PDB file of all heavy atoms in Angstrom:
ATOM      1  N   LYS D  31      14.002 -22.245   6.958  1.00  0.00           N
ATOM      2  CA  LYS D  31      12.901 -21.385   7.409  1.00  0.00           C
ATOM      3  C   LYS D  31      11.786 -21.268   6.372  1.00  0.00           C
ATOM      4  O   LYS D  31      10.732 -20.719   6.655  1.00  0.00           O
ATOM      5  CB  LYS D  31      13.428 -19.989   7.738  1.00  0.00           C
ATOM      6  CG  LYS D  31      14.299 -19.946   8.967  1.00  0.00           C
ATOM      7  CD  LYS D  31      14.981 -18.622   9.182  1.00  0.00           C
ATOM      8  CE  LYS D  31      14.166 -17.430   8.833  1.00  0.00           C
ATOM      9  NZ  LYS D  31      14.831 -16.156   9.037  1.00  0.00           N
ATOM     10  N   GLY D  32      12.004 -21.774   5.171  1.00  0.00           N
ATOM     11  CA  GLY D  32      10.979 -21.690   4.140  1.00  0.00           C
ATOM     12  C   GLY D  32      10.813 -20.286   3.582  1.00  0.00           C
ATOM     13  O   GLY D  32       9.752 -19.927   3.093  1.00  0.00           O
ATOM     14  N   THR D  33      11.861 -19.488   3.631  1.00  0.00           N
ATOM     15  CA  THR D  33      11.775 -18.096   3.193  1.00  0.00           C
ATOM     16  C   THR D  33      11.324 -17.987   1.749  1.00  0.00           C
ATOM     17  O   THR D  33      10.596 -17.077   1.390  1.00  0.00           O
ATOM     18  CB  THR D  33      13.145 -17.398   3.377  1.00  0.00           C
ATOM     19  OG1 THR D  33      13.507 -17.509   4.748  1.00  0.00           O
ATOM     20  CG2 THR D  33      13.088 -15.941   2.988  1.00  0.00           C
ATOM     21  N   GLY D  34      11.739 -18.918   0.924  1.00  0.00           N
ATOM     22  CA  GLY D  34      11.402 -18.839  -0.487  1.00  0.00           C
ATOM     23  C   GLY D  34       9.990 -19.197  -0.834  1.00  0.00           C
ATOM     24  O   GLY D  34       9.549 -18.947  -1.950  1.00  0.00           O
ATOM     25  N   GLN D  35       9.234 -19.783   0.085  1.00  0.00           N
ATOM     26  CA  GLN D  35       7.905 -20.244  -0.280  1.00  0.00           C
ATOM     27  C   GLN D  35       6.811 -19.904   0.727  1.00  0.00           C
ATOM     28  O   GLN D  35       5.717 -20.417   0.625  1.00  0.00           O
ATOM     29  CB  GLN D  35       7.930 -21.756  -0.509  1.00  0.00           C
ATOM     30  CG  GLN D  35       8.757 -22.100  -1.741  1.00  0.00           C
ATOM     31  CD  GLN D  35       8.756 -23.571  -2.047  1.00  0.00           C
ATOM     32  OE1 GLN D  35       9.595 -24.304  -1.570  1.00  0.00           O
ATOM     33  NE2 GLN D  35       7.806 -23.986  -2.852  1.00  0.00           N
ATOM     34  N   ARG D  36       7.094 -19.037   1.659  1.00  0.00           N
ATOM     35  CA  ARG D  36       6.080 -18.710   2.658  1.00  0.00           C
ATOM     36  C   ARG D  36       6.055 -17.214   2.903  1.00  0.00           C
ATOM     37  O   ARG D  36       7.079 -16.577   2.993  1.00  0.00           O
ATOM     38  CB  ARG D  36       6.391 -19.445   3.957  1.00  0.00           C
ATOM     39  CG  ARG D  36       5.398 -19.147   5.033  1.00  0.00           C
ATOM     40  CD  ARG D  36       5.740 -19.888   6.303  1.00  0.00           C
ATOM     41  NE  ARG D  36       4.557 -20.630   6.665  1.00  0.00           N
ATOM     42  CZ  ARG D  36       4.543 -21.789   7.251  1.00  0.00           C
ATOM     43  NH1 ARG D  36       5.648 -22.376   7.562  1.00  0.00           N
ATOM     44  NH2 ARG D  36       3.427 -22.370   7.555  1.00  0.00           N
ATOM     45  N   LEU D  37       4.847 -16.685   3.025  1.00  0.00           N
ATOM     46  CA  LEU D  37       4.633 -15.262   3.243  1.00  0.00           C
ATOM     47  C   LEU D  37       3.600 -15.108   4.355  1.00  0.00           C
ATOM     48  O   LEU D  37       2.565 -15.770   4.334  1.00  0.00           O
ATOM     49  CB  LEU D  37       4.100 -14.624   1.953  1.00  0.00           C
ATOM     50  CG  LEU D  37       3.649 -13.187   2.019  1.00  0.00           C
ATOM     51  CD1 LEU D  37       4.872 -12.276   2.078  1.00  0.00           C
ATOM     52  CD2 LEU D  37       2.806 -12.842   0.803  1.00  0.00           C
ATOM     53  N   SER D  38       3.907 -14.262   5.340  1.00  0.00           N
ATOM     54  CA  SER D  38       2.943 -13.955   6.400  1.00  0.00           C
ATOM     55  C   SER D  38       2.647 -12.466   6.353  1.00  0.00           C
ATOM     56  O   SER D  38       3.566 -11.646   6.329  1.00  0.00           O
ATOM     57  CB  SER D  38       3.505 -14.316   7.774  1.00  0.00           C
ATOM     58  OG  SER D  38       3.686 -15.702   7.880  1.00  0.00           O
ATOM     59  N   VAL D  39       1.362 -12.145   6.314  1.00  0.00           N
ATOM     60  CA  VAL D  39       0.926 -10.751   6.276  1.00  0.00           C
ATOM     61  C   VAL D  39       0.143 -10.480   7.547  1.00  0.00           C
ATOM     62  O   VAL D  39      -0.822 -11.190   7.856  1.00  0.00           O
ATOM     63  CB  VAL D  39       0.041 -10.469   5.046  1.00  0.00           C
ATOM     64  CG1 VAL D  39      -0.400  -9.015   5.024  1.00  0.00           C
ATOM     65  CG2 VAL D  39       0.759 -10.841   3.764  1.00  0.00           C
ATOM     66  N   VAL D  40       0.555  -9.462   8.294  1.00  0.00           N
ATOM     67  CA  VAL D  40      -0.134  -9.073   9.522  1.00  0.00           C
ATOM     68  C   VAL D  40      -1.011  -7.873   9.202  1.00  0.00           C
ATOM     69  O   VAL D  40      -0.536  -6.850   8.701  1.00  0.00           O
ATOM     70  CB  VAL D  40       0.867  -8.729  10.649  1.00  0.00           C
ATOM     71  CG1 VAL D  40       0.129  -8.302  11.907  1.00  0.00           C
ATOM     72  CG2 VAL D  40       1.771  -9.915  10.930  1.00  0.00           C
ATOM     73  N   LEU D  41      -2.290  -8.019   9.488  1.00  0.00           N
ATOM     74  CA  LEU D  41      -3.268  -6.966   9.205  1.00  0.00           C
ATOM     75  C   LEU D  41      -3.499  -6.106  10.441  1.00  0.00           C
ATOM     76  O   LEU D  41      -3.257  -6.529  11.564  1.00  0.00           O
ATOM     77  CB  LEU D  41      -4.582  -7.589   8.746  1.00  0.00           C
ATOM     78  CG  LEU D  41      -4.488  -8.506   7.522  1.00  0.00           C
ATOM     79  CD1 LEU D  41      -5.814  -9.221   7.284  1.00  0.00           C
ATOM     80  CD2 LEU D  41      -4.062  -7.715   6.301  1.00  0.00           C
ATOM     81  N   ALA D  42      -4.019  -4.908  10.228  1.00  0.00           N
ATOM     82  CA  ALA D  42      -4.306  -3.997  11.338  1.00  0.00           C
ATOM     83  C   ALA D  42      -5.516  -4.470  12.141  1.00  0.00           C
ATOM     84  O   ALA D  42      -5.585  -4.234  13.348  1.00  0.00           O
ATOM     85  CB  ALA D  42      -4.527  -2.582  10.818  1.00  0.00           C
ATOM     86  N   GLN D  43      -6.464  -5.122  11.467  1.00  0.00           N
ATOM     87  CA  GLN D  43      -7.665  -5.612  12.151  1.00  0.00           C
ATOM     88  C   GLN D  43      -7.963  -7.033  11.711  1.00  0.00           C
ATOM     89  O   GLN D  43      -7.690  -7.419  10.573  1.00  0.00           O
ATOM     90  CB  GLN D  43      -8.869  -4.725  11.830  1.00  0.00           C
ATOM     91  CG  GLN D  43      -8.742  -3.326  12.372  1.00  0.00           C
ATOM     92  CD  GLN D  43      -9.985  -2.496  12.060  1.00  0.00           C
ATOM     93  OE1 GLN D  43     -10.781  -2.826  11.197  1.00  0.00           O
ATOM     94  NE2 GLN D  43     -10.140  -1.404  12.789  1.00  0.00           N
ATOM     95  N   ALA D  44      -8.572  -7.787  12.612  1.00  0.00           N
ATOM     96  CA  ALA D  44      -8.915  -9.175  12.317  1.00  0.00           C
ATOM     97  C   ALA D  44      -9.964  -9.242  11.209  1.00  0.00           C
ATOM     98  O   ALA D  44     -10.823  -8.367  11.091  1.00  0.00           O
ATOM     99  CB  ALA D  44      -9.450  -9.856  13.572  1.00  0.00           C
ATOM    100  N   ILE D  45      -9.855 -10.297  10.403  1.00  0.00           N
ATOM    101  CA  ILE D  45     -10.868 -10.552   9.379  1.00  0.00           C
ATOM    102  C   ILE D  45     -11.404 -11.959   9.571  1.00  0.00           C
ATOM    103  O   ILE D  45     -10.821 -12.785  10.259  1.00  0.00           O
ATOM    104  CB  ILE D  45     -10.305 -10.376   7.942  1.00  0.00           C
ATOM    105  CG1 ILE D  45      -9.186 -11.368   7.653  1.00  0.00           C
ATOM    106  CG2 ILE D  45      -9.850  -8.954   7.717  1.00  0.00           C
ATOM    107  CD1 ILE D  45      -8.713 -11.336   6.195  1.00  0.00           C
ATOM    108  N   SER D  46     -12.503 -12.230   8.916  1.00  0.00           N
ATOM    109  CA  SER D  46     -13.171 -13.521   9.023  1.00  0.00           C
ATOM    110  C   SER D  46     -12.549 -14.520   8.043  1.00  0.00           C
ATOM    111  O   SER D  46     -12.133 -14.135   6.947  1.00  0.00           O
ATOM    112  CB  SER D  46     -14.656 -13.334   8.694  1.00  0.00           C
ATOM    113  OG  SER D  46     -15.251 -14.574   8.399  1.00  0.00           O
ATOM    114  N   PRO D  47     -12.542 -15.795   8.403  1.00  0.00           N
ATOM    115  CA  PRO D  47     -12.055 -16.810   7.463  1.00  0.00           C
ATOM    116  C   PRO D  47     -12.912 -16.867   6.196  1.00  0.00           C
ATOM    117  O   PRO D  47     -12.473 -17.349   5.160  1.00  0.00           O
ATOM    118  CB  PRO D  47     -12.171 -18.125   8.234  1.00  0.00           C
ATOM    119  CG  PRO D  47     -12.324 -17.759   9.659  1.00  0.00           C
ATOM    120  CD  PRO D  47     -12.878 -16.371   9.705  1.00  0.00           C
ATOM    121  N   ASP D  48     -14.145 -16.359   6.283  1.00  0.00           N
ATOM    122  CA  ASP D  48     -15.055 -16.351   5.132  1.00  0.00           C
ATOM    123  C   ASP D  48     -14.928 -15.089   4.292  1.00  0.00           C
ATOM    124  O   ASP D  48     -15.658 -14.936   3.307  1.00  0.00           O
ATOM    125  CB  ASP D  48     -16.511 -16.491   5.618  1.00  0.00           C
ATOM    126  CG  ASP D  48     -16.718 -17.778   6.391  1.00  0.00           C
ATOM    127  OD1 ASP D  48     -16.077 -18.787   6.045  1.00  0.00           O
ATOM    128  OD2 ASP D  48     -17.509 -17.765   7.354  1.00  0.00           O
ATOM    129  N   ASP D  49     -14.033 -14.193   4.663  1.00  0.00           N
ATOM    130  CA  ASP D  49     -13.845 -12.958   3.912  1.00  0.00           C
ATOM    131  C   ASP D  49     -13.542 -13.308   2.454  1.00  0.00           C
ATOM    132  O   ASP D  49     -12.721 -14.184   2.179  1.00  0.00           O
ATOM    133  CB  ASP D  49     -12.685 -12.157   4.517  1.00  0.00           C
ATOM    134  CG  ASP D  49     -12.580 -10.765   3.942  1.00  0.00           C
ATOM    135  OD1 ASP D  49     -12.343 -10.651   2.720  1.00  0.00           O
ATOM    136  OD2 ASP D  49     -12.723  -9.803   4.707  1.00  0.00           O
ATOM    137  N   PRO D  50     -14.196 -12.639   1.516  1.00  0.00           N
ATOM    138  CA  PRO D  50     -13.994 -12.947   0.092  1.00  0.00           C
ATOM    139  C   PRO D  50     -12.531 -12.857  -0.362  1.00  0.00           C
ATOM    140  O   PRO D  50     -12.113 -13.598  -1.256  1.00  0.00           O
ATOM    141  CB  PRO D  50     -14.844 -11.903  -0.629  1.00  0.00           C
ATOM    142  CG  PRO D  50     -15.844 -11.448   0.370  1.00  0.00           C
ATOM    143  CD  PRO D  50     -15.213 -11.608   1.709  1.00  0.00           C
ATOM    144  N   VAL D  51     -11.753 -11.995   0.244  1.00  0.00           N
ATOM    145  CA  VAL D  51     -10.355 -11.885  -0.174  1.00  0.00           C
ATOM    146  C   VAL D  51      -9.578 -13.161   0.173  1.00  0.00           C
ATOM    147  O   VAL D  51      -8.729 -13.606  -0.598  1.00  0.00           O
ATOM    148  CB  VAL D  51      -9.677 -10.622   0.409  1.00  0.00           C
ATOM    149  CG1 VAL D  51      -9.370 -10.776   1.878  1.00  0.00           C
ATOM    150  CG2 VAL D  51      -8.410 -10.287  -0.355  1.00  0.00           C
ATOM    151  N   ILE D  52      -9.902 -13.799   1.296  1.00  0.00           N
ATOM    152  CA  ILE D  52      -9.253 -15.064   1.675  1.00  0.00           C
ATOM    153  C   ILE D  52      -9.626 -16.147   0.672  1.00  0.00           C
ATOM    154  O   ILE D  52      -8.771 -16.894   0.190  1.00  0.00           O
ATOM    155  CB  ILE D  52      -9.631 -15.490   3.111  1.00  0.00           C
ATOM    156  CG1 ILE D  52      -9.188 -14.446   4.132  1.00  0.00           C
ATOM    157  CG2 ILE D  52      -9.072 -16.867   3.450  1.00  0.00           C
ATOM    158  CD1 ILE D  52      -7.688 -14.276   4.250  1.00  0.00           C
ATOM    159  N   THR D  53     -10.903 -16.217   0.319  1.00  0.00           N
ATOM    160  CA  THR D  53     -11.366 -17.180  -0.681  1.00  0.00           C
ATOM    161  C   THR D  53     -10.677 -16.942  -2.015  1.00  0.00           C
ATOM    162  O   THR D  53     -10.227 -17.883  -2.678  1.00  0.00           O
ATOM    163  CB  THR D  53     -12.894 -17.073  -0.855  1.00  0.00           C
ATOM    164  OG1 THR D  53     -13.512 -17.226   0.426  1.00  0.00           O
ATOM    165  CG2 THR D  53     -13.419 -18.134  -1.794  1.00  0.00           C
ATOM    166  N   GLY D  54     -10.543 -15.681  -2.408  1.00  0.00           N
ATOM    167  CA  GLY D  54      -9.875 -15.343  -3.658  1.00  0.00           C
ATOM    168  C   GLY D  54      -8.400 -15.713  -3.650  1.00  0.00           C
ATOM    169  O   GLY D  54      -7.861 -16.192  -4.646  1.00  0.00           O
ATOM    170  N   LEU D  55      -7.734 -15.494  -2.510  1.00  0.00           N
ATOM    171  CA  LEU D  55      -6.313 -15.845  -2.408  1.00  0.00           C
ATOM    172  C   LEU D  55      -6.112 -17.349  -2.568  1.00  0.00           C
ATOM    173  O   LEU D  55      -5.148 -17.788  -3.192  1.00  0.00           O
ATOM    174  CB  LEU D  55      -5.737 -15.379  -1.069  1.00  0.00           C
ATOM    175  CG  LEU D  55      -5.619 -13.876  -0.856  1.00  0.00           C
ATOM    176  CD1 LEU D  55      -5.130 -13.581   0.554  1.00  0.00           C
ATOM    177  CD2 LEU D  55      -4.712 -13.243  -1.897  1.00  0.00           C
ATOM    178  N   ARG D  56      -7.026 -18.121  -2.006  1.00  0.00           N
ATOM    179  CA  ARG D  56      -6.904 -19.584  -2.095  1.00  0.00           C
ATOM    180  C   ARG D  56      -6.974 -20.065  -3.538  1.00  0.00           C
ATOM    181  O   ARG D  56      -6.400 -21.086  -3.883  1.00  0.00           O
ATOM    182  CB  ARG D  56      -7.997 -20.250  -1.260  1.00  0.00           C
ATOM    183  CG  ARG D  56      -7.735 -20.142   0.218  1.00  0.00           C
ATOM    184  CD  ARG D  56      -8.702 -20.966   1.059  1.00  0.00           C
ATOM    185  NE  ARG D  56      -8.304 -20.897   2.438  1.00  0.00           N
ATOM    186  CZ  ARG D  56      -9.075 -20.434   3.414  1.00  0.00           C
ATOM    187  NH1 ARG D  56     -10.304 -20.015   3.165  1.00  0.00           N
ATOM    188  NH2 ARG D  56      -8.615 -20.390   4.651  1.00  0.00           N
ATOM    189  N   ALA D  57      -7.680 -19.328  -4.385  1.00  0.00           N
ATOM    190  CA  ALA D  57      -7.830 -19.712  -5.792  1.00  0.00           C
ATOM    191  C   ALA D  57      -6.709 -19.162  -6.662  1.00  0.00           C
ATOM    192  O   ALA D  57      -6.658 -19.439  -7.859  1.00  0.00           O
ATOM    193  CB  ALA D  57      -9.175 -19.218  -6.313  1.00  0.00           C
ATOM    194  N   GLY D  58      -5.793 -18.401  -6.075  1.00  0.00           N
ATOM    195  CA  GLY D  58      -4.736 -17.753  -6.853  1.00  0.00           C
ATOM    196  C   GLY D  58      -3.756 -18.717  -7.488  1.00  0.00           C
ATOM    197  O   GLY D  58      -3.448 -19.774  -6.941  1.00  0.00           O
ATOM    198  N   ALA D  59      -3.273 -18.329  -8.656  1.00  0.00           N
ATOM    199  CA  ALA D  59      -2.284 -19.141  -9.365  1.00  0.00           C
ATOM    200  C   ALA D  59      -0.990 -19.158  -8.552  1.00  0.00           C
ATOM    201  O   ALA D  59      -0.538 -18.133  -8.076  1.00  0.00           O
ATOM    202  CB  ALA D  59      -2.032 -18.555 -10.747  1.00  0.00           C
ATOM    203  N   GLY D  60      -0.428 -20.317  -8.393  1.00  0.00           N
ATOM    204  CA  GLY D  60       0.832 -20.451  -7.688  1.00  0.00           C
ATOM    205  C   GLY D  60       0.700 -20.579  -6.184  1.00  0.00           C
ATOM    206  O   GLY D  60       1.690 -20.746  -5.483  1.00  0.00           O
ATOM    207  N   VAL D  61      -0.523 -20.510  -5.667  1.00  0.00           N
ATOM    208  CA  VAL D  61      -0.737 -20.589  -4.221  1.00  0.00           C
ATOM    209  C   VAL D  61      -1.001 -22.039  -3.829  1.00  0.00           C
ATOM    210  O   VAL D  61      -1.888 -22.690  -4.373  1.00  0.00           O
ATOM    211  CB  VAL D  61      -1.922 -19.687  -3.781  1.00  0.00           C
ATOM    212  CG1 VAL D  61      -2.249 -19.886  -2.317  1.00  0.00           C
ATOM    213  CG2 VAL D  61      -1.596 -18.237  -4.074  1.00  0.00           C
ATOM    214  N   ARG D  62      -0.213 -22.541  -2.899  1.00  0.00           N
ATOM    215  CA  ARG D  62      -0.396 -23.904  -2.396  1.00  0.00           C
ATOM    216  C   ARG D  62      -1.427 -23.940  -1.270  1.00  0.00           C
ATOM    217  O   ARG D  62      -2.296 -24.795  -1.232  1.00  0.00           O
ATOM    218  CB  ARG D  62       0.919 -24.473  -1.876  1.00  0.00           C
ATOM    219  CG  ARG D  62       0.745 -25.884  -1.305  1.00  0.00           C
ATOM    220  CD  ARG D  62       1.999 -26.453  -0.707  1.00  0.00           C
ATOM    221  NE  ARG D  62       3.106 -26.314  -1.632  1.00  0.00           N
ATOM    222  CZ  ARG D  62       4.374 -26.276  -1.255  1.00  0.00           C
ATOM    223  NH1 ARG D  62       4.695 -26.376   0.005  1.00  0.00           N
ATOM    224  NH2 ARG D  62       5.330 -26.145  -2.137  1.00  0.00           N
ATOM    225  N   ARG D  63      -1.308 -22.965  -0.339  1.00  0.00           N
ATOM    226  CA  ARG D  63      -2.185 -22.971   0.827  1.00  0.00           C
ATOM    227  C   ARG D  63      -2.298 -21.562   1.376  1.00  0.00           C
ATOM    228  O   ARG D  63      -1.335 -20.805   1.367  1.00  0.00           O
ATOM    229  CB  ARG D  63      -1.599 -23.894   1.894  1.00  0.00           C
ATOM    230  CG  ARG D  63      -2.442 -24.080   3.125  1.00  0.00           C
ATOM    231  CD  ARG D  63      -1.805 -25.085   4.089  1.00  0.00           C
ATOM    232  NE  ARG D  63      -0.760 -24.502   4.894  1.00  0.00           N
ATOM    233  CZ  ARG D  63      -0.959 -23.892   6.068  1.00  0.00           C
ATOM    234  NH1 ARG D  63      -2.169 -23.798   6.564  1.00  0.00           N
ATOM    235  NH2 ARG D  63       0.050 -23.389   6.734  1.00  0.00           N
ATOM    236  N   VAL D  64      -3.491 -21.221   1.855  1.00  0.00           N
ATOM    237  CA  VAL D  64      -3.718 -19.957   2.549  1.00  0.00           C
ATOM    238  C   VAL D  64      -4.344 -20.294   3.890  1.00  0.00           C
ATOM    239  O   VAL D  64      -5.309 -21.053   3.961  1.00  0.00           O
ATOM    240  CB  VAL D  64      -4.671 -19.024   1.753  1.00  0.00           C
ATOM    241  CG1 VAL D  64      -4.983 -17.767   2.552  1.00  0.00           C
ATOM    242  CG2 VAL D  64      -4.070 -18.665   0.404  1.00  0.00           C
ATOM    243  N   ALA D  65      -3.774 -19.733   4.949  1.00  0.00           N
ATOM    244  CA  ALA D  65      -4.310 -19.980   6.287  1.00  0.00           C
ATOM    245  C   ALA D  65      -4.488 -18.651   6.999  1.00  0.00           C
ATOM    246  O   ALA D  65      -3.626 -17.779   6.923  1.00  0.00           O
ATOM    247  CB  ALA D  65      -3.371 -20.877   7.085  1.00  0.00           C
ATOM    248  N   LEU D  66      -5.606 -18.506   7.659  1.00  0.00           N
ATOM    249  CA  LEU D  66      -5.842 -17.357   8.526  1.00  0.00           C
ATOM    250  C   LEU D  66      -5.597 -17.852   9.940  1.00  0.00           C
ATOM    251  O   LEU D  66      -6.288 -18.760  10.419  1.00  0.00           O
ATOM    252  CB  LEU D  66      -7.268 -16.831   8.358  1.00  0.00           C
ATOM    253  CG  LEU D  66      -7.639 -15.607   9.186  1.00  0.00           C
ATOM    254  CD1 LEU D  66      -6.780 -14.408   8.794  1.00  0.00           C
ATOM    255  CD2 LEU D  66      -9.110 -15.276   9.005  1.00  0.00           C
ATOM    256  N   GLU D  67      -4.591 -17.296  10.594  1.00  0.00           N
ATOM    257  CA  GLU D  67      -4.239 -17.745  11.938  1.00  0.00           C
ATOM    258  C   GLU D  67      -5.382 -17.450  12.906  1.00  0.00           C
ATOM    259  O   GLU D  67      -6.271 -16.649  12.628  1.00  0.00           O
ATOM    260  CB  GLU D  67      -2.938 -17.082  12.403  1.00  0.00           C
ATOM    261  CG  GLU D  67      -1.760 -17.316  11.467  1.00  0.00           C
ATOM    262  CD  GLU D  67      -1.390 -18.773  11.279  1.00  0.00           C
ATOM    263  OE1 GLU D  67      -1.478 -19.561  12.238  1.00  0.00           O
ATOM    264  OE2 GLU D  67      -0.997 -19.134  10.155  1.00  0.00           O
ATOM    265  N   ALA D  68      -5.344 -18.092  14.063  1.00  0.00           N
ATOM    266  CA  ALA D  68      -6.410 -17.966  15.059  1.00  0.00           C
ATOM    267  C   ALA D  68      -6.636 -16.524  15.497  1.00  0.00           C
ATOM    268  O   ALA D  68      -7.756 -16.155  15.856  1.00  0.00           O
ATOM    269  CB  ALA D  68      -6.105 -18.845  16.269  1.00  0.00           C
ATOM    270  N   ASP D  69      -5.603 -15.702  15.446  1.00  0.00           N
ATOM    271  CA  ASP D  69      -5.751 -14.304  15.854  1.00  0.00           C
ATOM    272  C   ASP D  69      -6.581 -13.485  14.870  1.00  0.00           C
ATOM    273  O   ASP D  69      -7.017 -12.385  15.175  1.00  0.00           O
ATOM    274  CB  ASP D  69      -4.388 -13.650  16.075  1.00  0.00           C
ATOM    275  CG  ASP D  69      -3.512 -13.612  14.823  1.00  0.00           C
ATOM    276  OD1 ASP D  69      -3.997 -13.932  13.713  1.00  0.00           O
ATOM    277  OD2 ASP D  69      -2.329 -13.252  14.961  1.00  0.00           O
ATOM    278  N   GLY D  70      -6.787 -14.024  13.663  1.00  0.00           N
ATOM    279  CA  GLY D  70      -7.589 -13.332  12.661  1.00  0.00           C
ATOM    280  C   GLY D  70      -6.872 -12.194  11.962  1.00  0.00           C
ATOM    281  O   GLY D  70      -7.421 -11.585  11.052  1.00  0.00           O
ATOM    282  N   VAL D  71      -5.644 -11.895  12.384  1.00  0.00           N
ATOM    283  CA  VAL D  71      -4.916 -10.788  11.754  1.00  0.00           C
ATOM    284  C   VAL D  71      -3.709 -11.258  10.948  1.00  0.00           C
ATOM    285  O   VAL D  71      -3.116 -10.472  10.216  1.00  0.00           O
ATOM    286  CB  VAL D  71      -4.452  -9.717  12.780  1.00  0.00           C
ATOM    287  CG1 VAL D  71      -5.629  -9.070  13.454  1.00  0.00           C
ATOM    288  CG2 VAL D  71      -3.488 -10.292  13.778  1.00  0.00           C
ATOM    289  N   THR D  72      -3.341 -12.520  11.047  1.00  0.00           N
ATOM    290  CA  THR D  72      -2.177 -13.026  10.323  1.00  0.00           C
ATOM    291  C   THR D  72      -2.631 -13.974   9.229  1.00  0.00           C
ATOM    292  O   THR D  72      -3.242 -15.008   9.502  1.00  0.00           O
ATOM    293  CB  THR D  72      -1.193 -13.741  11.266  1.00  0.00           C
ATOM    294  OG1 THR D  72      -0.844 -12.856  12.332  1.00  0.00           O
ATOM    295  CG2 THR D  72       0.058 -14.167  10.527  1.00  0.00           C
ATOM    296  N   VAL D  73      -2.334 -13.599   8.004  1.00  0.00           N
ATOM    297  CA  VAL D  73      -2.642 -14.423   6.840  1.00  0.00           C
ATOM    298  C   VAL D  73      -1.335 -15.043   6.369  1.00  0.00           C
ATOM    299  O   VAL D  73      -0.381 -14.324   6.070  1.00  0.00           O
ATOM    300  CB  VAL D  73      -3.261 -13.577   5.701  1.00  0.00           C
ATOM    301  CG1 VAL D  73      -3.577 -14.458   4.494  1.00  0.00           C
ATOM    302  CG2 VAL D  73      -4.507 -12.835   6.177  1.00  0.00           C
ATOM    303  N   THR D  74      -1.291 -16.375   6.322  1.00  0.00           N
ATOM    304  CA  THR D  74      -0.095 -17.082   5.876  1.00  0.00           C
ATOM    305  C   THR D  74      -0.382 -17.710   4.514  1.00  0.00           C
ATOM    306  O   THR D  74      -1.387 -18.398   4.349  1.00  0.00           O
ATOM    307  CB  THR D  74       0.313 -18.174   6.880  1.00  0.00           C
ATOM    308  OG1 THR D  74       0.528 -17.560   8.147  1.00  0.00           O
ATOM    309  CG2 THR D  74       1.574 -18.884   6.443  1.00  0.00           C
ATOM    310  N   VAL D  75       0.504 -17.437   3.564  1.00  0.00           N
ATOM    311  CA  VAL D  75       0.351 -17.952   2.207  1.00  0.00           C
ATOM    312  C   VAL D  75       1.580 -18.782   1.870  1.00  0.00           C
ATOM    313  O   VAL D  75       2.707 -18.305   2.011  1.00  0.00           O
ATOM    314  CB  VAL D  75       0.205 -16.800   1.188  1.00  0.00           C
ATOM    315  CG1 VAL D  75       0.080 -17.347  -0.231  1.00  0.00           C
ATOM    316  CG2 VAL D  75      -0.988 -15.917   1.535  1.00  0.00           C
TER     317      VAL D  75
END
């Protein structure tokens, strides 16, 4: 299931793929990939 290397965070409200926090997460140390799901509320790291 990839439990050791994948994290999904569900937000209360949708955010934009251009949101600065998404950009910042992508630059984080140890982060391979950050994806904002189509619903705009699920961030997968």
Side-chain angles (χ1 to χ4, degrees):
K31 291 172 38 180
T33 303
Q35 293 183 270
R36 180 180 234 147
L37 172 75
S38 295
V39 180
V40 179
L41 303 172
Q43 294 182 342
I45 62 173
S46 163
D48 300 326
D49 190 297
V51 74
I52 299 295
T53 305
L55 292 176
R56 286 188 175 121
V61 173
R62 178 183 310 155
R63 184 177 81 88
V64 175
L66 181 63
E67 304 300 323
D69 62 9
V71 297
T72 305
V73 180
T74 302
V75 179

